[in-house]
Amino acid sequence: FGAQITMHTDLRVLYLGGFNNDPIYTPNSLANLLDRGEIGYFLSSNQHPEMVPIVEFYCAAIHIVIEPTPQIEDSGMILYQCQ
């Protein structure tokens, strides 16, 4: 999904995990980026629930991309605007 945003808009996409969800960003490093205003949008998913309180502190939910469902563990995506 992030690739589609990058290809079709002028927005930059921050990916939180690499191969097999390698922990590229920590909660503290994400908070520092948000505090400095370096992230304009954040797409939340259930893969990194520890990041959601940080994002919700700095950003406002603007769109539910995919509704969460009990049948699919990693479902549910919310787009936040951070600036």
Side-chain angles (χ1 to χ4, degrees):
F1 188 77
Q4 292 174 355
I5 293 173
T6 302
M7 289 176 11
H8 299 291
T9 71
D10 61 350
L11 301 174
R12 294 177 285 167
V13 177
L14 173 68
Y15 295 93
L16 288 181
F19 184 73
N20 287 333
N21 292 322
D22 292 337
I24 295 172
Y25 294 93
T26 65
N28 286 339
S29 64
L30 176 63
N32 288 335
L33 291 171
L34 288 164
D35 191 50
R36 293 193 307 260
E38 295 185 27
I39 298 174
Y41 294 88
F42 184 93
L43 184 62
S44 156
S45 73
N46 289 336
Q47 290 183 329
H48 298 280
E50 72 280 7
M51 302 294 191
V52 173
I54 296 163
V55 171
E56 288 178 343
F57 179 80
Y58 287 96
C59 310
I62 58 172
H63 183 68
I64 296 175
V65 179
I66 299 172
E67 292 283 346
T69 64
Q71 296 83 12
I72 304 172
E73 182 178 331
D74 289 336
S75 68
M77 298 174 82
I78 300 173
L79 181 64
Y80 293 86
Q81 186 173 11
C82 303
Q83 294 181 345

